[in-house]
Amino acid sequence: MEWTDIQITVPHPYAETAEAIATMVSNGGIYIEDYSDLEEQAWEIAHVDLIEQELLDQPRDIVKVHMYLAPDENPAEILPLFRERLDAAGIPYELTTAGVEQEDWQNAWKKYYHAMDIGKRLAIVPGWEEYETDRTVITMDPGMAFGTGTHETTSLCLEVLDERVRGGERVLDIGTGSGILAIAALRLGAACAEGVDIDPMCVRTAGENALRNGVQDRFTVLVGDLSDKASGVYNIITANIVAAAILSLAPHVPALMAPGAVFVASGIIDTRKEEVLAGLRGAGLDPFEVREKRGWVCIVCRKKEG
């Protein structure tokens, strides 16, 4: 079924007026594209500063209001009413229309996500795709959670796990998102893993992905933060989050590290590399390996001796 997407583009100061008019005219849903405070919104909503360049390149001085008409609604009847109200409001605007399949809303992003080999042993495969390989397969459907393996921060962590998981490890994944890192460690032979995330939606998605990969009996996913959920010591601790969060949790990490353990910190933009390295050292950690990929940094640490 093809719906009609009516898009009204206005200067940012007129956004509320355009939204109010669209809400008044539309019988269906509306969708707002407003990138004026993108970084702040990303942190408040998902506690991430991992923002794709395509979004960062969006104009910050305009807002796009999308109004969707059902297949049985006639755009020729709605558009004049929409224009009349916009003109009466005295705001500058640009109006365009496009057809959109209902299924596209939920599935369009999937065309960018395909099977990929990582390191020497791993293959990350979307649940809707067939992929013949003799590698260890991680089947993923990230839903709305962060962590498909395609982003540099995630692939850097997966490469470290591919090299370091030898079997029998206890793993802690802080900010687990889709659960991809913990699941990969388990599929590579780790004995058990705990995933912690402040977002219940991510915890649910991680649990579903664990079931999809047959590791649900060895993967415990908890809603909360590091301070009240982690217990005991771990052989591998991962945190693919953001620089600020890594600096905040770093002082608590050494006490959670078993002898010979490693802490893998990622989600760090390269401009903050030195700041994070200094913070990790100040927290009693020894960063002994730094990996970089297309502007993103992954730091592997051990606990300082003595």
Side-chain angles (χ1 to χ4, degrees), residues 37-67:
D37 55 353
L38 176 64
E39 291 84 356
E40 181 180 348
Q41 288 184 40
W43 177 255
E44 290 180 353
I45 295 171
H47 295 277
V48 295
D49 57 12
L50 311 177
I51 304 172
E52 298 291 349
Q53 190 61 47
E54 182 179 352
L55 291 179
L56 291 172
D57 290 340
Q58 292 288 338
R60 307 302 177 92
D61 58 344
I62 62 170
V63 171
K64 301 175 184 177
V65 180
H66 297 263
M67 183 174 71

Side-chain angles (χ1 to χ4, degrees), residues 251-267:
H252 306 283
V253 170
L256 299 171
M257 299 175 73
V262 294
F263 172 50
V264 185
S266 191

